[in-house]
Amino acid sequence: NLSGKKPYINATLNSNMIDLLKFSEITTSSNSFTLISTAHAATFVPATEIDLSVLNLLNANIELNIGKLIVNKDIMLDNIKTDIVINSGNVNINLKQMQAGGGNLVGSINADVTNKFKVDLTGKNIVLQDFLKFLSVTDNKYFGIASGGNTDLLINLTSKGRDLQSVVENLDGQFIAIVGDSKIQTGTLKYLSGGLVSQILSSLKLQKLDKTLDVSCAVVRTDIADGKAIFPKGIAFKSNKLIIVSDGSVNLKNDKIDFSIRPFNLLLQIPLNSFSI
């Protein structure tokens, strides 16, 4: 309806596949996970302006269904069903279904013209190595998840900012990931080398324990506020041969990292050397 002061759109949109790689040549596996590899959040995220003024131009009620969404060559999402409502400069995306690694992700994403953002997502039964293909085992040289990997996620975040970098720096909320029974193959990190993750794994010398580890549970909890991602004993890892407890923080504004890691060898029944990063 274009007759009023503000146009109104009511639509149902369907696509068998959307390939985001075709929209950006820089979205590659090696670049996509630099953030995880180095924990340099603010440096990695560009100061690209976010202009949401279009939300003031119309109101809309859109049902969007996508059979397959290709984010990059490592991440693919299936059977996405959403309702998108734009009203008075506010957009609310109700994610009714999104299959990720065989599991399901549901929740809501909200934004408005003042550049305030809110994300509430819950993921159940996501097979981590199917969702993040770089974690799957392709040969016996690389670190990865050989089997299991069933993961639950809880993401509750708010933020504000006129550009992507300020949105990262103003994040507030919580991220929780719980990984169930898994078999991990130790080895060289294929993509996450050279950063925080590889430093931790190299220091633990996992390959000296065995080529594989049977993991009964792994938990990552992050509380984010005031420009910091804080891990209050928020990284826990229990396998048949090793227990790890870690806490610390990542400053999202100046990239400073402060972590302590306390491993315990179950085979020898002794604590291993604790260390800090």
Side-chain angles (χ1 to χ4, degrees), residues 196-214:
L196 173 65
V197 175
S198 62
Q199 288 180 48
I200 293 174
L201 293 174
S202 296
S203 300
L204 292 172
K205 298 179 173 58
L206 295 179
Q207 285 178 292
K208 287 189 175 182
L209 290 174
D210 205 339
K211 187 64 180 175
T212 61
L213 293 175
D214 292 322

Side-chain angles (χ1 to χ4, degrees), residues 8-16 60-66 80-84 96:
Y8 177 80
I9 297 172
N10 189 15
T12 299
L13 305 176
N14 300 293
S15 175
N16 289 332
N61 193 333
I62 300 170
E63 180 185 337
L64 175 63
N65 304 304
I66 304 171
I80 301 170
K81 299 183 183 299
T82 64
D83 289 330
I84 303 171
K96 297 185 290 185

Side-chain angles (χ1 to χ4, degrees), residues 64-256:
L64 175 63
N65 304 304
I66 304 171
K68 182 179 289 294
L69 176 64
I70 301 174
V71 179
N72 58 42
K73 68 180 184 180
D74 283 314
I75 300 179
M76 298 182 189
L77 304 166
D78 297 297
N79 298 322
I80 301 170
K81 299 183 183 299
T82 64
D83 289 330
I84 303 171
V85 177
I86 302 173
N87 186 46
S88 302
N90 179 285
V91 60
N92 187 72
I93 302 172
N94 176 26
L95 184 59
K96 297 185 290 185
Q97 173 182 298
M98 183 167 71
Q99 291 181 354
N104 197 32
L105 195 65
V106 297
S108 63
I109 302 170
N110 182 271
D112 62 33
V113 290
T114 66
N115 283 57
K116 292 181 180 179
F117 305 90
K118 184 177 181 181
V119 178
D120 290 306
L121 297 174
T122 302
K124 293 289 186 182
N125 301 318
I126 297 171
V127 179
L128 200 57
Q129 67 273 27
D130 291 342
F131 175 42
L132 304 175
K133 299 294 185 184
F134 73 96
L135 286 176
S136 62
V137 173
T138 55
D139 56 48
N140 58 10
K141 294 189 302 182
Y142 294 113
F143 178 91
I145 302 176
S147 62
N150 207 48
T151 302
D152 291 342
L153 295 174
L154 180 64
I155 305 171
N156 299 117
L157 297 171
T158 61
S159 190
K160 59 183 179 181
R162 292 291 174 182
D163 56 63
L164 289 175
Q165 193 174 101
S166 59
V167 167
V168 170
E169 293 176 354
N170 290 315
L171 282 171
D172 187 273
Q174 191 175 68
F175 171 90
I176 299 174
I178 302 172
V179 185
D181 290 351
S182 309
K183 185 179 288 293
I184 291 180
Q185 175 178 286
T186 61
T188 304
L189 289 168
K190 194 171 185 179
Y191 291 125
L192 304 183
S193 59
L196 173 65
V197 175
S198 62
Q199 288 180 48
I200 293 174
L201 293 174
S202 296
S203 300
L204 292 172
K205 298 179 173 58
L206 295 179
Q207 285 178 292
K208 287 189 175 182
L209 290 174
D210 205 339
K211 187 64 180 175
T212 61
L213 293 175
D214 292 322
V215 178
S216 57
C217 185
V219 178
V220 177
R221 172 190 162 190
T222 311
D223 297 328
I224 306 173
D226 300 322
K228 276 190 174 183
I230 300 171
F231 298 79
K233 291 187 173 58
I235 302 176
F237 174 95
K238 183 179 181 181
S239 76
N240 58 327
K241 296 160 187 172
L242 186 71
I243 293 177
I244 301 170
V245 177
S246 174
D247 56 12
S249 66
V250 176
N251 191 314
L252 300 177
K253 295 184 177 180
N254 60 20
D255 302 340
K256 288 186 177 180

